[in-house]
Structure formats: structure tokens, C-alpha cells
Amino acid sequence: MTKKVKNSASKLLITLAFSCMSVILNTGIAHQIGLAKSTNPQKCDIFAYVIDTDPQGLNVRSGASTNNTILGQIPINETVQVISAAGDWVQITNASDGFQGTGWVFVPKLGLTTRGYGTNGVDFYASTSQQRQKVGRIPANTAIKLLGFQGDWAQVEYQGVKGWLAREDQCGAALTSCS
């Protein structure tokens, strides 16, 4: 009799474990747990602008995942302040229009332009230091693809080359040259 009870208890525990795993995987909790473990938010202080063409605006979420609640939207070309980064997501605040408060947005929905008006462009670097190797030069007032942020540096891609752009060479406003 006690052997049957032990076998039943073992089967119940195994079934319960598989059920819990199924719930975690199917509800997206696994993604959120993985995100929390795999990314350490980096502090930032950068301005960027919204390039999302959705007529409703860029979704601002309560966390760094599409599984998080939408808190509001920000229209295209509006400027935001990026205060931290976690992978492909950034925490923003101080939107020039639309959503007011702090929330998370997907990096590819933000844009940045180079400064350097009246010059032959700006340098970008292999790492977040101007003492490091230059990887290229970007013409003045050029829209560039954003990849991420660290401190006051923006990770960018220009003509297939990835590198880091210093704050003084960044323009986070869509409708001005930041000169």
C-alpha cells in the first residue's frame, strides 16, 4: 500500500512539474524571466526621436518586452530622453509630445542624426572611447540606424559598419540639425 502511495505521489509531482513548465512557456513568463536574467540595464543619458510610422504612435510599455502593458504612445518625430538600456529595449522619459512619464520602447523604433553641420562629418569608434580605433566617418546631418546605448554613447550602424557615436556628435531631434 505505501509503495502505491509513493508511486502516485511521484507521478503527481512529475505531472505538476510539467504543468508548471507548460504554463511558464505558454504565457511568455519564460521570456520575461530570461530577459531579467540576461540583461543588466545600462544607465544612459541620450536624446533620440521616434521613427515609428504607426499612425497611433510608438507604443510605450511598462517593461522591456512586447508582453508588457502599453502605457501610451508617442507620435513620429517627437524627441525622447533615453535613461537606460536593456538589450533591444530602452527606458525613456521626457517625450516632447504624446506619452508623459517613464516607460520602455523598442530601439529600432528610434532614430538619431549626426551633427557636424558645416563640417566633413563625424567619426565613430570601435568602443565607447574616442581614444579607441575609428571605424569610419559619417557625413553631417545623416540619419543613422540605432543599435543600442551605453552612458552617453550611441551604438550605430552606417553603411553596414557598426560603431559608437559620441554624445557631441549626436542629434536627437528629427526636425532640426542640432547645430
Side-chain angles (χ1 to χ4, degrees), residues 17-173:
F18 281 120
S19 296
C20 287
M21 289 301 292
S22 177
V23 166
I24 287 172
L25 292 174
N26 290 324
T27 61
I29 294 172
H31 174 73
Q32 293 174 7
I33 291 169
L35 179 66
K37 288 182 180 177
S38 66
T39 57
N40 246 350
Q42 298 286 319
K43 294 287 181 198
C44 302
D45 186 17
I46 294 177
F47 289 89
Y49 56 88
V50 174
I51 61 172
D52 189 352
T53 57
D54 184 325
Q56 303 226 350
L58 171 62
N59 288 333
V60 180
R61 297 186 177 269
S62 61
S65 164
T66 56
N67 294 328
N68 290 97
T69 305
I70 296 172
L71 302 173
Q73 286 84 24
I74 304 170
I76 190 167
N77 293 332
E78 295 302 325
T79 302
V80 297
Q81 181 180 7
V82 177
I83 57 174
S84 69
D88 289 339
W89 290 82
V90 291
Q91 188 176 32
I92 58 98
T93 192
N94 297 330
S96 57
D97 192 20
F99 174 78
Q100 296 300 306
T102 300
W104 291 85
V105 300
F106 193 52
V107 171
K109 303 293 185 177
L110 297 177
L112 196 63
T113 305
T114 58
R115 287 184 183 219
Y117 182 76
T119 71
N120 62 354
V122 298
D123 293 322
F124 65 120
Y125 302 88
S127 67
T128 57
S129 169
Q130 291 175 328
Q131 280 66 50
R132 300 292 180 182
Q133 176 186 0
K134 292 178 187 176
V135 295
R137 189 160 194 79
I138 307 171
N141 301 327
T142 300
I144 45 181
K145 180 178 180 181
L146 276 172
L147 303 174
F149 300 93
Q150 184 177 338
D152 58 359
W153 288 80
Q155 187 179 28
V156 299
E157 183 176 335
Y158 175 69
Q159 295 184 336
V161 179
K162 295 177 182 176
W164 292 90
L165 190 63
R167 180 186 192 120
E168 62 267 16
D169 297 326
Q170 304 166 17
C171 180

Side-chain angles (χ1 to χ4, degrees), residues 1-15:
M1 179 86 163
T2 58
K3 194 170 192 169
K4 278 186 178 181
V5 170
K6 285 183 183 178
N7 283 341
S8 294
S10 294
K11 287 180 184 177
L12 179 63
L13 284 174
I14 291 170
T15 302

